[in-house]
Amino acid sequence: MVSRVIPVENFDLVIFGGTGDLARRKILPGLYRRFCAGQMPEDSRIIGAARGDLDDAGFRKLIGEAIEEFVPKNRRDTQTIKDFTARLHYVAVDARGEKGWPELAKIVRQDVVTAFYLSVGPGLFGDIASRLHDYEIANPSSRIVVEKPFGRDLESAKALNAELASAFEESQIYRIDHYLGKETVQNLMAVRFANVLFEPLWNAQYIDHVQITVAETVSVDGRGAYYDKSGAMRDMVQNHLMQLLCLTAMEPPSKFDPDAVRDEKLKVIRALDDIAPENIVRGQYSAGDDGVASYVEHSEKPDTRTESFIAMKVDISNWRWKGTPFYLRTGKRLKARMSEIVIHFKETPHSIFDEDAGSHANILTIRLQPDEGMDMRVTIKEPGPGGMRLVDVPLDMTFAEALGPQTEDVPDAYERLIMDVIRGNQTLFMRGDEVEAAWKWTDPIIEGWTTRGDRPMPYEPGSSGPEDALMLLHRDGRRWREIRK
Ligand code: BG6
């Protein structure tokens, strides 16, 4: 079965920072794939805007090369790259000055969907937004897309929101968290709200605890300066893990509509308890046998106390979740690249079998990456004679196996999100109040360890993080799921 391609209207998409790393690695290769899928209408254009003095031909060449580099060989060919890059244009602009803006005003059409993707540092959001407005390049139905990091604390996030709000309505602002564009993240909503099976059990009465892991093998090499200012808490927890937690914990929205979904996520964030220091473990990776330097060396600050790993126990104070902790962990240079949400159900209230039979609990795993899928562990009788012995078996559904070729051409997170921008669908984007609420919860946690002067614990590359992170669960009589290769 071939995946369905929903047409979009003609558009002009302007990418500020169009020659930058994200544009070359993700945004333009993603658009190329949508072009190949037939989702870029004939008369649509992509306009790169950046400081450098390039022309259309130079930009086309640059992006052609990026596609060669970042799109797998079996998904590209020379002619299509040529056809795609023919849709590209370039305008040199000075985000803080006046250069290039009149040219941009001339080139951007007003009778098609217009979207402005700010793939630039947040320091430029305000400058660009106000010029788009003042030069009448943006109109009331234009969309503006901004990347993370959306601020570094509540105060800066509020300031960014205010800057954007001076030129755009909230309904025009698309704050990207690319985790929301991942296929399985959306599947989480389908599993919860399109099946009658799970929702009645989806609460503290039946769920013992939830584990959310986003483990990476990469280091922060080359991004040390950025990472040292953010750390795993700002880089991963405040946004990606928080979004996973929200979608897992939220109440069913009345419909799958941007505000209904975001209202429910916001309620979860507002119900998060403060976290006591003993419920947080932070770590920094040491140098590896493979010759990769330590976090401290990558950060270039010998006395850095920034974390490349964090694990925490989070409580949600509402009727649904009181008493069911959510354990979150994420880190770089870990054993494997693996992201999953694991729902540990409680044991049956009473066992009718002998003690020898053993006791078991159901576990539902939602795997985000690398191999997207779900796994439900159910308890059955171990086959054979010798009485009643219980054993857990997986009801495994790897989407690639179950759905075959349909899963091969699944758009990556960026492709999906950019097409949602063009369609004007904000469901998978963060609303301003949601981002602010997330910082409001995050700020005192960071402030806490900064004031106490806590040092992150070293951990071995290729491990599951510091020992203490294991203790966080052992202490409660629970265990993390193994981070597997
Ligand atoms: C980014 C973070 O937002 O997400 C990176 O800044 C991280 O540090 C990346 O590596 C992880 O994304 P993915 O899609 O590879 O899991």
Side-chain angles (χ1 to χ4, degrees):
M1 206 198 293
V2 180
S3 49
R4 218 152 46 99
V5 171
I6 302 168
V8 294
E9 286 176 56
N10 264 326
F11 61 84
D12 273 355
L13 169 66
V14 181
I15 306 174
F16 290 92
T19 54
D21 194 50
L22 184 72
R24 290 178 52 258
R25 259 184 330 114
K26 293 279 184 190
I27 305 173
L28 282 145
L31 283 159
Y32 169 75
R33 289 195 49 186
R34 289 296 89 208
F35 176 78
C36 295
Q39 218 177 18
M40 193 165 155
E42 192 96 346
D43 196 23
S44 296
R45 301 177 312 171
I46 298 163
I47 300 150
R51 225 175 349 181
D53 275 324
L54 272 184
D55 56 9
D56 286 355
F59 186 55
R60 287 173 184 160
K61 182 164 175 289
L62 183 85
I63 299 309
E65 286 162 4
I67 293 169
E68 301 270 357
E69 190 177 344
F70 298 110
V71 177
K73 220 175 177 165
N74 59 349
R75 300 213 175 271
R76 60 175 150 86
D77 70 79
T78 318
Q79 188 54 47
T80 344
I81 296 180
K82 228 170 131 197
D83 296 344
F84 171 72
T85 52
R87 308 285 193 90
L88 305 183
H89 300 268
Y90 184 82
V91 181
V93 289
D94 177 359
R96 292 214 164 105
E98 307 313 315
K99 184 184 149 194
W101 292 95
E103 287 76 13
L104 200 59
K106 230 179 273 161
I107 198 174
V108 174
R109 295 168 295 176
Q110 294 299 326
D111 56 349
V112 296
V113 171
T114 48
F116 303 96
Y117 196 129
L118 274 48
S119 177
V120 296
L124 293 178
F125 289 177
D127 293 305
I128 296 178
S130 60
R131 281 170 179 73
L132 286 171
H133 178 261
D134 298 347
Y135 281 91
E136 294 179 2
I137 301 171
N139 60 54
S141 56
S142 297
R143 287 125 213 195
I144 186 159
V145 186
V146 293
E147 269 294 331
K148 76 179 260 275
F150 198 82
R152 62 180 327 272
D153 52 20
L154 177 59
E155 201 188 324
S156 52
K158 275 187 172 165
L160 288 176
N161 274 337
E163 280 179 338
L164 291 174
S166 66
F168 291 88
E169 296 292 329
E170 181 61 35
S171 60
Q172 297 179 274
I173 305 172
Y174 291 71
R175 296 175 194 79
I176 286 207
D177 182 319
H178 78 280
Y179 265 58
L180 286 177
K182 288 187 191 272
E183 185 70 12
T184 321
V185 173
Q186 291 164 79
N187 240 320
L188 180 59
M189 286 187 273
V191 166
R192 283 194 59 192
F193 305 129
N195 293 286
V196 75
L197 210 58
F198 298 109
E199 204 46 32
L201 308 179
W202 210 263
N203 55 50
Q205 194 182 343
Y206 293 104
I207 296 181
D208 178 69
H209 72 283
V210 176
Q211 299 183 11
I212 301 180
T213 298
V214 176
E216 297 184 275
T217 50
V218 290
S219 71
V220 301
D221 196 12
R223 306 168 74 208
Y226 155 75
Y227 214 85
D228 216 42
K229 288 202 207 89
S230 64
M233 186 69 181
R234 288 191 172 96
D235 184 50
M236 300 295 290
V237 177
Q238 187 271 348
N239 34 69
H240 304 327
L241 277 87
M242 174 80 83
Q243 291 296 326
L244 300 182
L245 179 144
C246 283
L247 295 176
T248 310
M250 72 182 183
E251 295 300 314
S254 59
K255 44 187 179 245
F256 191 56
D257 137 302
D259 277 330
V261 170
R262 297 184 301 176
D263 285 347
E264 295 309 334
K265 288 198 293 169
L266 179 62
K267 285 186 212 159
V268 175
I269 305 175
R270 289 189 174 150
L272 297 178
D273 282 356
D274 296 343
I275 306 192
E278 62 272 21
N279 287 333
I280 304 174
V281 177
R282 295 161 66 237
Q284 274 179 352
Y285 57 80
S286 314
D289 298 337
D290 51 4
V292 178
S294 66
Y295 178 78
V296 178
E297 289 162 276
H298 284 149
S299 104
E300 295 167 10
K301 268 172 70 186
D303 60 341
T304 177
R305 293 186 182 184
T306 304
E307 73 288 349
S308 61
F309 172 97
I310 186 163
M312 57 213 302
K313 178 180 175 183
V314 180
D315 290 309
I316 306 176
S317 271
N318 64 18
W319 273 49
R320 188 185 280 264
W321 294 114
K322 191 71 193 174
T324 293
F326 282 60
Y327 297 94
L328 314 184
R329 73 179 157 167
T330 182
K332 309 280 186 214
R333 291 283 278 151
L334 297 178
K335 202 191 251 171
R337 178 170 187 257
M338 185 199 90
S339 301
E340 60 180 29
I341 301 169
V342 187
I343 315 289
H344 282 255
F345 289 90
K346 289 189 172 166
E347 289 180 9
T348 50
H350 161 73
S351 174
I352 63 166
F353 306 110
D354 293 347
E355 256 177 42
D356 293 352
S359 65
H360 297 261
N362 301 119
I363 297 174
L364 172 67
T365 305
I366 297 151
R367 291 191 303 268
L368 269 64
Q369 51 202 29
D371 53 339
E372 302 186 327
M374 276 171 48
D375 172 304
M376 176 86 199
R377 296 192 86 82
V378 292
T379 306
I380 60 159
K381 176 190 167 300
E382 198 173 53
M388 182 62 86
R389 284 187 313 275
L390 301 179
V391 63
D392 285 343
V393 291
L395 288 181
D396 189 347
M397 191 176 92
T398 301
F399 295 154
E401 281 166 22
L403 301 172
Q406 239 183 312
T407 57
E408 281 169 20
D409 209 26
V410 169
D412 99 341
Y414 276 94
E415 292 172 47
R416 180 190 317 272
L417 294 175
I418 297 170
M419 286 300 123
D420 278 357
V421 172
I422 306 295
R423 283 192 204 99
N425 184 346
Q426 289 183 304
T427 311
L428 299 175
F429 295 83
M430 293 178 295
R431 211 167 51 190
D433 51 1
E434 205 183 329
V435 179
E436 288 184 13
W439 281 121
K440 196 170 170 201
W441 176 76
T442 310
D443 280 358
I445 300 172
I446 298 177
E447 243 165 63
W449 70 58
T450 313
T451 338
R452 289 191 303 274
D454 294 353
R455 283 189 179 280
M457 291 164 194
Y459 62 92
E460 288 300 314
S463 69
S464 305
E467 278 290 308
D468 280 35
L470 304 179
M471 292 312 296
L472 197 62
L473 267 81
H474 288 183
R475 220 175 50 189
D476 296 344
R478 300 173 174 127
R479 300 169 68 99
W480 285 109
R481 289 257 301 184
E482 201 193 332
I483 297 178
R484 296 169 313 279
K485 288 210 165 82

